[in-house]
Amino acid sequence: MFAVVRTGGKQYRVAAGDKIVVEKLDGEAGSSITLGDVLLAGEGAELKSVEGLTVAAEIIAQAKGEKVIVFKKRRRHNYRRRNGHRQQHTILKILSIGAAEAKKPAKAKKAAPEGEAQSAEA
């Protein structure tokens, strides 16, 4: 089974066991996260409903990408600037593609005593 998930403004096609490099996500190595923004899912050529579908993943490492050199120059003005940048990445291992965990129903709020409710309206 495969799924297309969106994270960090990009889309990734994933299947169980895949390793992907995404924009930095909060969490430490070894912790598990859930990617809930599933755009497409299917098995082979057959597409499935994505309603309530999530992708479980484990953070393998927090890493930095390759260095990108930013060089600015204005000719004949003695202006040169050189900077480097290394983007933060998170390496994920996809554990499973499955239904969302059932959320516990929220407890009903206690109604205010009648005396307080009337004084609040006045």
Side-chain angles (χ1 to χ4, degrees):
M1 183 170 185
F2 72 93
V4 176
V5 296
R6 178 173 35 208
T7 178
K10 298 182 180 92
Q11 298 174 9
Y12 301 91
R13 183 187 190 275
V14 297
D18 286 354
K19 291 182 182 176
I20 59 173
V21 178
V22 299
E23 296 286 323
K24 182 161 175 60
L25 299 171
D26 289 336
E28 297 180 9
S31 64
S32 60
I33 62 168
T34 303
L35 303 173
D37 197 2
V38 179
L39 304 173
L40 182 76
E43 195 159 354
E46 187 177 321
L47 297 179
K48 298 190 176 189
S49 173
V50 296
E51 189 173 324
L53 199 66
T54 60
V55 175
E58 178 185 4
I59 297 176
I60 295 176
Q62 301 284 7
K64 286 187 174 182
E66 294 293 317
K67 181 174 263 192
V68 176
I69 302 297
V70 180
F71 185 75
K72 299 179 182 180
K73 179 180 178 178
R74 297 200 178 148
R75 62 185 190 162
R76 297 187 302 270
H77 289 280
N78 194 25
Y79 176 84
R80 288 184 292 278
R81 301 291 183 266
R82 181 179 180 271
N83 286 315
H85 175 74
R86 293 184 71 186
Q87 186 68 34
Q88 299 280 338
H89 293 299
T90 300
I91 302 171
L92 297 178
K93 180 177 182 181
I94 306 301
L95 300 176
S96 65
I97 301 170
E101 297 174 4
K103 294 183 179 179
K104 296 179 182 176
K107 294 181 180 179
K109 294 183 180 180
K110 294 182 180 178
E114 293 178 19
E116 291 179 13
Q118 292 173 355
S119 62
E121 292 176 5

